[in-house]
Amino acid sequence: LGTCFGASFDPSDTGLLSLQVSCLCGSAPCLLCGCCPSAKNSTISRLLFTFFLFLGTLVSIIMIIPGVEKELYKLPGFCEGSGSVLGVQTHADCSSFLGHKAVYRMGFAMAAFFFLFAVIMVCVRSSKDPRAAVQNGFWFFKFLVLVGIAVGAFYIPDGAFTSVWFYFGVVGSFLFILIQLILLIDFAHSWSQLWLRNADESNAKGWYAALCIITFIFYATSIAAIVLLYIYYTKPEGCTEGKVLISINLILCLIVSAVSILPKIQDAQPHSGLLQASLITLYTIYITWSALANVPTQTCNPTLLVRNSTSSATATQPLTTWWDAPSIVGLIIFILCTLFISVRSSDHPQVNKLMLTEESAAGAGSEAAVESGLHRAYDNEQDGVSYNYTFFHLCLLLAVLYIMMTLTNWYRPDESLQVLTSPWTAVWVKICSSWAGLLLYLWTLVAPLVLPDRDFS
């Protein structure tokens, strides 16, 4: 065991003992030692849990591919031998729901897995807690637990499961979009501060030019996207909802952009500027696009017919395809945000406090690993955890619900159970999340003026 960590066994070293016991069951350090640079045990654990999330997402994507979708007929009670669809006796075409039901059940399994760990890890304060060994080790058994839950999820009776789980997905997705917005705002501020700091230290105008170019690209892309939204998702007569939603978000983006460069805001926050505002604007336009792609009115949504119609005009089209442009962009953002949650703490104490992620000092372990020149994972949580275990698992749970809704296009069976339709619920959830994000960013700008006694540096 000592060679696994590049060190001899010391019975008095409780942290090393914990890691070595975990190693017996396939811990993160043992999986990576000898082939990777020295890394924090907490970071490796987060990455491996994220890998489980991505693995489940990949399985969901595979199950919704039309060729694989047909094989789901063979699952007991899924279609064959079942006289009901979603628990209701009907003659509806089961093929309309195969991929939809499979993704929902895989999403339920992953959500249950992360919820289980969120409950188990409540109030873990350091790696000396026995439960920390469960968090940072036993990966083979964790995989078996996830597989077992996933298999069991496919035997859940239909009943009202899909209808109820849809609303769980809507609420969870809304919360995860808010987390995405927090991370995006933090990333935008850190990006701007880094480039401005480099410009001040090097006296190079190239950094300022790069800021201007990136800001221009973001705003130009946003303007082009708004024009396209007006062209494809509105009509000269009708489509009033789409026109109103696009116009409101356009006005709100102009307001936050103007506020970001006001003299008083600049005095309170010298690093605030148009780069952050342009990135928030671009993301807001994406959310608006995603919301309009769920408008259930066919004349105002050019992608609606291809994705959910069972009419003869599109009989050859897959019924539950997810790979439209908004979903692909959403999948990419989902991957980036979950990786961001897994590997990084914020440069801003306020964001760390909000996200419950604040790296504890791991000086002794880090320095020992570097000085010895050994490639191993070291325990950086003996004095205190570097992130809140429960909150991390809850974030992954919300990520599961978000990707579940993305892969099913936020669709649900209509009243006749003949087709998957896009409800207005999806539209308003996305639009409200875009408004919440803009208000949150606006608060980061005006907070130093509203609360002058607090430190927002």
Side-chain angles (χ1 to χ4, degrees), residues 202-237:
S202 62
N203 292 323
K205 296 182 179 179
W207 290 106
Y208 292 109
L211 279 172
C212 294
I213 292 173
I214 295 297
T215 301
F216 173 79
I217 291 175
F218 285 164
Y219 274 123
T221 305
S222 300
I223 294 172
I226 290 173
V227 173
L228 292 175
L229 291 181
Y230 275 117
I231 293 174
Y232 289 103
Y233 291 92
T234 64
K235 300 293 181 183
E237 297 180 0

Side-chain angles (χ1 to χ4, degrees), residues 33 121 137 141 159 197 205 209 224 312 322 367 426:
C33 66
M121 298 301 160
F141 295 103
R197 188 183 308 118
K205 296 182 179 179
S312 58
W322 66 270
E367 291 174 2

Side-chain angles (χ1 to χ4, degrees), residues 97 100 166 294 296 304 307-309 408-416 418-424 426:
F97 305 98
H100 186 275
F166 170 82
N294 278 108
L304 184 67
R307 294 189 300 185
N308 77 334
S309 175
T408 57
N409 298 111
W410 296 65
Y411 283 11
R412 70 179 180 189
D414 64 357
E415 289 78 6
S416 64
Q418 296 297 318
V419 65
L420 293 172
T421 59
S422 179
W424 277 103

Side-chain angles (χ1 to χ4, degrees), residues 350-370:
Q350 296 294 335
V351 177
N352 279 329
K353 185 176 181 180
L354 180 63
M355 297 296 295
L356 302 181
T357 56
E358 188 165 1
E359 293 291 346
S360 60
S366 177
E367 291 174 2
V370 173

Side-chain angles (χ1 to χ4, degrees), residues 190-200 207 210-211 214 275:
S190 299
W191 185 3
S192 178
Q193 288 181 10
L194 176 62
W195 283 19
L196 290 175
R197 188 183 308 118
N198 290 340
D200 293 337
W207 290 106
L211 279 172
I214 295 297
L275 176 64

Side-chain angles (χ1 to χ4, degrees), residues 23 60 76 139-140 161 169-170 184 207 249 264 287 321 337 360 364 368 372 396 402 430 432:
C23 186
S60 298
W139 296 102
F140 177 71
F161 170 78
V170 167
L184 184 67
W207 290 106
N249 278 2
K264 289 187 177 181
I287 294 294
T321 56
C337 284
S360 60
S372 63
L396 293 187
Y402 172 81
K430 294 179 181 181
C432 290

Side-chain angles (χ1 to χ4, degrees), residues 128-147:
K128 297 176 182 178
D129 190 310
R131 291 175 293 169
V134 178
Q135 171 75 7
N136 297 318
F138 303 97
W139 296 102
F140 177 71
F141 295 103
K142 289 175 184 175
F143 178 75
L144 292 182
V145 169
L146 178 58
V147 171

